Amino acid sequence: MTITTERGRVAGELKSGSDLLYLSRQDVEDIGITRDEILDLTREALVEHGHQRYEMPAKIGVHPYDNVFYHAMPAYLPGPGIVGMKWIECYPDNPRKFHLPQTTGLLVINDVESGAPLAVMDSAWLTAMRTPAVTVLGAAALHPGATTFGMFGCGVQGKEHVRYAALAMPGMETVYVHDTNEAAADALIAELQPELDLRLVKGESAEAVTKSAQVLSSATVILREPLAVVKDGWVTAGQTILPCDLNTFWDPRTSQRADKYIVDSIAEHELFASMGYFPDGLPAIASETGEVLAGVKPGRESADEIIVNSNIGMAVCDIAVGNAILHRAIERGAGTRLPL
């Protein structure tokens, strides 16, 4: 699936400036965008980003509580003509306190020519799907031929990372999973083992998983003070590490000594550093993920390199996937038309 030019197919279906399409979470999930399609859409968006064909300010945020954030994430992709914004928040205590998801949000897609909003849709499913797509695209580019993968965090993101790793990394044979909640790791294996043609193993400890896998990823929590669950001494030459939780889960010394520290967005990492999320300093950045996928900057250049690839999520990927969801919804007559 390729990124579709916006106006040609939408203008005839929506009265720009008069109505918009609302898509609930169930609508979005039922549209039928596959993981393979999301990998293609995300790859195209990252390549556009790597070639500097985009406009996307670093995440604008507010923080009502110390462990809570709201992010406004606008982006524009001039090539396919897509513009929109995601408004998303994270409340880590929601599941325990209110039996609500940790993360919820909305995505708006606008008409580039007139500026009129075309659609408003739930963004939780979209976010859960495009986040692991970025991780495994980075992993496949930075560690081709990898046969072992380690996943820390076995919630929604952890499950999708495992599914996407099976899709994007064809040589994958074994995935080790670990969660502080052992029941979550057991549940991941019970759910995914029957559908995947690879071996899922519950790691005995964070150290055991780290020492067992060539490629490692984490999707846990984002905090200003690093937890350093994975100790620097456990990481060895040739490993590729792809955190989705910024500077929290891994010993900061690993990122500082890595042969390459690659990020999805330099501007966003510099913003988080200015907010105190890198108390030991932001590591020297070698390149951006999109630059590697676009062939603008090198990825792995030797088998012994330690590479850390930090991806915290970019709006260019959100609007690319959201645009595809909008087009699919129009084709299928899904969603609810609302007057402006």
Side-chain angles (χ1 to χ4, degrees), residues 155-187:
V156 172
Q157 286 289 339
K159 290 178 182 178
E160 289 303 327
H161 272 77
V162 174
R163 286 188 173 107
Y164 274 94
L167 280 177
M169 306 177 75
M172 191 56 56
E173 298 174 358
T174 305
V175 176
Y176 300 90
V177 299
H178 183 268
D179 197 294
T180 53
N181 177 3
E182 283 198 41
D186 291 333

Side-chain angles (χ1 to χ4, degrees), residues 124-138:
W125 180 87
L126 179 157
T127 301
M129 297 296 278
R130 73 97 170 103
T131 300
V134 175
T135 297
V136 299
L137 287 170

